[in-house]
PDB file of all heavy atoms in Angstrom:
ATOM      1  N   LEU R  53     -18.919  -0.910 -38.596  1.00 96.00           N
ATOM      2  CA  LEU R  53     -19.757  -1.406 -39.697  1.00 96.00           C
ATOM      3  C   LEU R  53     -19.691  -2.926 -39.791  1.00 96.00           C
ATOM      4  O   LEU R  53     -20.707  -3.585 -40.043  1.00 96.00           O
ATOM      5  CB  LEU R  53     -19.338  -0.767 -41.027  1.00 96.00           C
ATOM      6  CG  LEU R  53     -19.699   0.703 -41.192  1.00 96.00           C
ATOM      7  CD1 LEU R  53     -19.074   1.269 -42.466  1.00 96.00           C
ATOM      8  CD2 LEU R  53     -21.209   0.884 -41.206  1.00 96.00           C
ATOM      9  N   ASP R  57     -22.844  -5.255 -38.926  1.00 93.00           N
ATOM     10  CA  ASP R  57     -23.231  -5.688 -40.272  1.00 93.00           C
ATOM     11  C   ASP R  57     -23.966  -4.582 -41.035  1.00 93.00           C
ATOM     12  O   ASP R  57     -24.993  -4.816 -41.658  1.00 93.00           O
ATOM     13  CB  ASP R  57     -24.070  -6.955 -40.205  1.00 93.00           C
ATOM     14  CG  ASP R  57     -24.153  -7.668 -41.560  1.00 93.00           C
ATOM     15  OD1 ASP R  57     -23.220  -7.497 -42.380  1.00 93.00           O
ATOM     16  OD2 ASP R  57     -25.154  -8.368 -41.798  1.00 93.00           O
ATOM     17  N   GLY R  58     -23.413  -3.353 -40.935  1.00 92.00           N
ATOM     18  CA  GLY R  58     -23.948  -2.219 -41.681  1.00 92.00           C
ATOM     19  C   GLY R  58     -24.893  -1.367 -40.857  1.00 92.00           C
ATOM     20  O   GLY R  58     -25.572  -1.861 -39.966  1.00 92.00           O
ATOM     21  N   CYS R  59     -24.881  -0.062 -41.167  1.00 93.00           N
ATOM     22  CA  CYS R  59     -25.788   0.873 -40.502  1.00 93.00           C
ATOM     23  C   CYS R  59     -25.786   2.193 -41.271  1.00 93.00           C
ATOM     24  O   CYS R  59     -25.036   2.365 -42.222  1.00 93.00           O
ATOM     25  CB  CYS R  59     -25.386   1.098 -39.046  1.00 93.00           C
ATOM     26  SG  CYS R  59     -23.823   1.951 -38.812  1.00 93.00           S
ATOM     27  N   ARG R  60     -26.620   3.117 -40.838  1.00 93.00           N
ATOM     28  CA  ARG R  60     -26.684   4.443 -41.458  1.00 93.00           C
ATOM     29  C   ARG R  60     -25.529   5.302 -40.946  1.00 93.00           C
ATOM     30  O   ARG R  60     -25.016   5.084 -39.836  1.00 93.00           O
ATOM     31  CB  ARG R  60     -28.005   5.122 -41.128  1.00 93.00           C
ATOM     32  CG  ARG R  60     -29.221   4.372 -41.627  1.00 93.00           C
ATOM     33  CD  ARG R  60     -30.508   4.997 -41.174  1.00 93.00           C
ATOM     34  NE  ARG R  60     -30.503   5.119 -39.712  1.00 93.00           N
ATOM     35  CZ  ARG R  60     -31.299   5.916 -39.025  1.00 93.00           C
ATOM     36  NH1 ARG R  60     -32.164   6.686 -39.646  1.00 93.00           N
ATOM     37  NH2 ARG R  60     -31.243   5.967 -37.712  1.00 93.00           N
ATOM     38  N   ALA R  61     -25.148   6.309 -41.706  1.00 93.00           N
ATOM     39  CA  ALA R  61     -24.099   7.242 -41.286  1.00 93.00           C
ATOM     40  C   ALA R  61     -24.509   7.965 -40.009  1.00 93.00           C
ATOM     41  O   ALA R  61     -23.676   8.207 -39.130  1.00 93.00           O
ATOM     42  CB  ALA R  61     -23.789   8.234 -42.403  1.00 93.00           C
ATOM     43  N   THR R  62     -25.796   8.288 -39.885  1.00 92.00           N
ATOM     44  CA  THR R  62     -26.254   8.967 -38.669  1.00 92.00           C
ATOM     45  C   THR R  62     -26.114   8.064 -37.441  1.00 92.00           C
ATOM     46  O   THR R  62     -25.865   8.552 -36.341  1.00 92.00           O
ATOM     47  CB  THR R  62     -27.723   9.439 -38.802  1.00 92.00           C
ATOM     48  OG1 THR R  62     -28.535   8.316 -39.162  1.00 92.00           O
ATOM     49  CG2 THR R  62     -27.864  10.529 -39.837  1.00 92.00           C
ATOM     50  N   LEU R  64     -23.674   5.881 -37.075  1.00 93.00           N
ATOM     51  CA  LEU R  64     -22.243   5.957 -36.755  1.00 93.00           C
ATOM     52  C   LEU R  64     -21.951   7.215 -35.939  1.00 93.00           C
ATOM     53  O   LEU R  64     -21.245   7.165 -34.939  1.00 93.00           O
ATOM     54  CB  LEU R  64     -21.396   5.973 -38.028  1.00 93.00           C
ATOM     55  CG  LEU R  64     -21.229   4.662 -38.781  1.00 93.00           C
ATOM     56  CD1 LEU R  64     -20.523   4.904 -40.107  1.00 93.00           C
ATOM     57  CD2 LEU R  64     -20.466   3.651 -37.934  1.00 93.00           C
ATOM     58  N   VAL R  75     -18.376  12.417 -39.846  1.00 92.00           N
ATOM     59  CA  VAL R  75     -18.680  11.070 -40.325  1.00 92.00           C
ATOM     60  C   VAL R  75     -18.907  11.089 -41.836  1.00 92.00           C
ATOM     61  O   VAL R  75     -18.423  10.215 -42.556  1.00 92.00           O
ATOM     62  CB  VAL R  75     -19.892  10.476 -39.583  1.00 92.00           C
ATOM     63  CG1 VAL R  75     -20.349   9.173 -40.220  1.00 92.00           C
ATOM     64  CG2 VAL R  75     -19.553  10.273 -38.117  1.00 92.00           C
ATOM     65  N   VAL R  79     -16.873   8.813 -44.388  1.00 94.00           N
ATOM     66  CA  VAL R  79     -17.587   7.826 -45.197  1.00 94.00           C
ATOM     67  C   VAL R  79     -17.343   8.072 -46.681  1.00 94.00           C
ATOM     68  O   VAL R  79     -17.111   7.137 -47.449  1.00 94.00           O
ATOM     69  CB  VAL R  79     -19.095   7.835 -44.860  1.00 94.00           C
ATOM     70  CG1 VAL R  79     -19.906   7.076 -45.902  1.00 94.00           C
ATOM     71  CG2 VAL R  79     -19.325   7.258 -43.464  1.00 94.00           C
ATOM     72  N   GLU R  83     -15.771   5.433 -49.195  1.00 95.00           N
ATOM     73  CA  GLU R  83     -16.458   5.026 -50.437  1.00 95.00           C
ATOM     74  C   GLU R  83     -15.526   5.185 -51.633  1.00 95.00           C
ATOM     75  O   GLU R  83     -15.429   4.284 -52.476  1.00 95.00           O
ATOM     76  CB  GLU R  83     -17.714   5.868 -50.654  1.00 95.00           C
ATOM     77  CG  GLU R  83     -18.889   5.453 -49.807  1.00 95.00           C
ATOM     78  CD  GLU R  83     -20.118   6.311 -50.088  1.00 95.00           C
ATOM     79  OE1 GLU R  83     -20.073   7.536 -49.859  1.00 95.00           O
ATOM     80  OE2 GLU R  83     -21.112   5.734 -50.566  1.00 95.00           O
ATOM     81  N   VAL R  88     -16.150   0.971 -48.534  1.00 97.00           N
ATOM     82  CA  VAL R  88     -17.531   1.037 -48.042  1.00 97.00           C
ATOM     83  C   VAL R  88     -18.449   1.242 -49.238  1.00 97.00           C
ATOM     84  O   VAL R  88     -18.096   1.932 -50.195  1.00 97.00           O
ATOM     85  CB  VAL R  88     -17.686   2.209 -47.036  1.00 97.00           C
ATOM     86  CG1 VAL R  88     -19.137   2.479 -46.717  1.00 97.00           C
ATOM     87  CG2 VAL R  88     -16.918   1.925 -45.761  1.00 97.00           C
ATOM     88  N   VAL R  89     -19.623   0.649 -49.166  1.00 97.00           N
ATOM     89  CA  VAL R  89     -20.640   0.843 -50.193  1.00 97.00           C
ATOM     90  C   VAL R  89     -21.922   1.287 -49.505  1.00 97.00           C
ATOM     91  O   VAL R  89     -22.211   0.890 -48.382  1.00 97.00           O
ATOM     92  CB  VAL R  89     -20.852  -0.449 -51.024  1.00 97.00           C
ATOM     93  CG1 VAL R  89     -21.408  -1.567 -50.173  1.00 97.00           C
ATOM     94  CG2 VAL R  89     -21.717  -0.192 -52.228  1.00 97.00           C
ATOM     95  N   ARG R  90     -22.671   2.140 -50.198  1.00 94.00           N
ATOM     96  CA  ARG R  90     -23.939   2.659 -49.687  1.00 94.00           C
ATOM     97  C   ARG R  90     -25.055   1.942 -50.447  1.00 94.00           C
ATOM     98  O   ARG R  90     -25.088   1.961 -51.666  1.00 94.00           O
ATOM     99  CB  ARG R  90     -23.979   4.167 -49.971  1.00 94.00           C
ATOM    100  CG  ARG R  90     -24.992   4.943 -49.215  1.00 94.00           C
ATOM    101  CD  ARG R  90     -24.919   6.418 -49.580  1.00 94.00           C
ATOM    102  NE  ARG R  90     -23.646   7.031 -49.273  1.00 94.00           N
ATOM    103  CZ  ARG R  90     -23.427   7.849 -48.245  1.00 94.00           C
ATOM    104  NH1 ARG R  90     -24.417   8.159 -47.447  1.00 94.00           N
ATOM    105  NH2 ARG R  90     -22.249   8.356 -48.025  1.00 94.00           N
ATOM    106  N   ARG R  91     -25.976   1.315 -49.678  1.00 92.00           N
ATOM    107  CA  ARG R  91     -27.090   0.582 -50.293  1.00 92.00           C
ATOM    108  C   ARG R  91     -28.410   1.080 -49.720  1.00 92.00           C
ATOM    109  O   ARG R  91     -28.463   1.520 -48.577  1.00 92.00           O
ATOM    110  CB  ARG R  91     -26.966  -0.911 -49.993  1.00 92.00           C
ATOM    111  CG  ARG R  91     -25.760  -1.550 -50.629  1.00 92.00           C
ATOM    112  CD  ARG R  91     -25.820  -3.068 -50.461  1.00 92.00           C
ATOM    113  NE  ARG R  91     -24.687  -3.680 -51.107  1.00 92.00           N
ATOM    114  CZ  ARG R  91     -23.595  -4.099 -50.484  1.00 92.00           C
ATOM    115  NH1 ARG R  91     -23.492  -3.991 -49.185  1.00 92.00           N
ATOM    116  NH2 ARG R  91     -22.616  -4.641 -51.158  1.00 92.00           N
ATOM    117  N   HIS R 100     -30.304   5.030 -46.601  1.00 91.00           N
ATOM    118  CA  HIS R 100     -29.149   4.310 -47.131  1.00 91.00           C
ATOM    119  C   HIS R 100     -28.371   3.685 -45.975  1.00 91.00           C
ATOM    120  O   HIS R 100     -28.148   4.324 -44.947  1.00 91.00           O
ATOM    121  CB  HIS R 100     -28.224   5.243 -47.919  1.00 91.00           C
ATOM    122  CG  HIS R 100     -28.779   5.603 -49.241  1.00 91.00           C
ATOM    123  ND1 HIS R 100     -29.498   6.761 -49.464  1.00 91.00           N
ATOM    124  CD2 HIS R 100     -28.748   4.946 -50.423  1.00 91.00           C
ATOM    125  CE1 HIS R 100     -29.868   6.806 -50.721  1.00 91.00           C
ATOM    126  NE2 HIS R 100     -29.435   5.713 -51.328  1.00 91.00           N
ATOM    127  N   VAL R 101     -27.961   2.451 -46.177  1.00 95.00           N
ATOM    128  CA  VAL R 101     -27.191   1.712 -45.180  1.00 95.00           C
ATOM    129  C   VAL R 101     -25.781   1.531 -45.723  1.00 95.00           C
ATOM    130  O   VAL R 101     -25.594   1.204 -46.895  1.00 95.00           O
ATOM    131  CB  VAL R 101     -27.842   0.335 -44.894  1.00 95.00           C
ATOM    132  CG1 VAL R 101     -27.000  -0.488 -43.944  1.00 95.00           C
ATOM    133  CG2 VAL R 101     -29.245   0.526 -44.346  1.00 95.00           C
ATOM    134  N   LEU R 102     -24.802   1.753 -44.857  1.00 96.00           N
ATOM    135  CA  LEU R 102     -23.406   1.585 -45.228  1.00 96.00           C
ATOM    136  C   LEU R 102     -22.963   0.177 -44.877  1.00 96.00           C
ATOM    137  O   LEU R 102     -23.327  -0.353 -43.831  1.00 96.00           O
ATOM    138  CB  LEU R 102     -22.529   2.585 -44.466  1.00 96.00           C
ATOM    139  CG  LEU R 102     -22.881   4.049 -44.658  1.00 96.00           C
ATOM    140  CD1 LEU R 102     -22.146   4.902 -43.644  1.00 96.00           C
ATOM    141  CD2 LEU R 102     -22.524   4.470 -46.072  1.00 96.00           C
ATOM    142  N   GLY R 103     -22.178  -0.400 -45.757  1.00 96.00           N
ATOM    143  CA  GLY R 103     -21.631  -1.727 -45.492  1.00 96.00           C
ATOM    144  C   GLY R 103     -20.225  -1.823 -46.034  1.00 96.00           C
ATOM    145  O   GLY R 103     -19.806  -1.009 -46.865  1.00 96.00           O
ATOM    146  N   LEU R 104     -19.495  -2.808 -45.557  1.00 96.00           N
ATOM    147  CA  LEU R 104     -18.127  -3.014 -46.024  1.00 96.00           C
ATOM    148  C   LEU R 104     -18.114  -3.745 -47.357  1.00 96.00           C
ATOM    149  O   LEU R 104     -18.936  -4.633 -47.591  1.00 96.00           O
ATOM    150  CB  LEU R 104     -17.340  -3.857 -45.014  1.00 96.00           C
ATOM    151  CG  LEU R 104     -17.112  -3.264 -43.640  1.00 96.00           C
ATOM    152  CD1 LEU R 104     -16.319  -4.246 -42.777  1.00 96.00           C
ATOM    153  CD2 LEU R 104     -16.370  -1.959 -43.738  1.00 96.00           C
TER     154      LEU R 104
END
Side-chain angles (χ1 to χ4, degrees):
L53 288 173
D57 197 26
C59 67
R60 299 175 305 162
T62 55
L64 285 172
V75 171
V79 166
E83 282 181 298
V88 169
V89 65
R90 196 180 299 255
R91 294 188 178 100
H100 286 95
V101 176
L102 302 168
L104 296 180

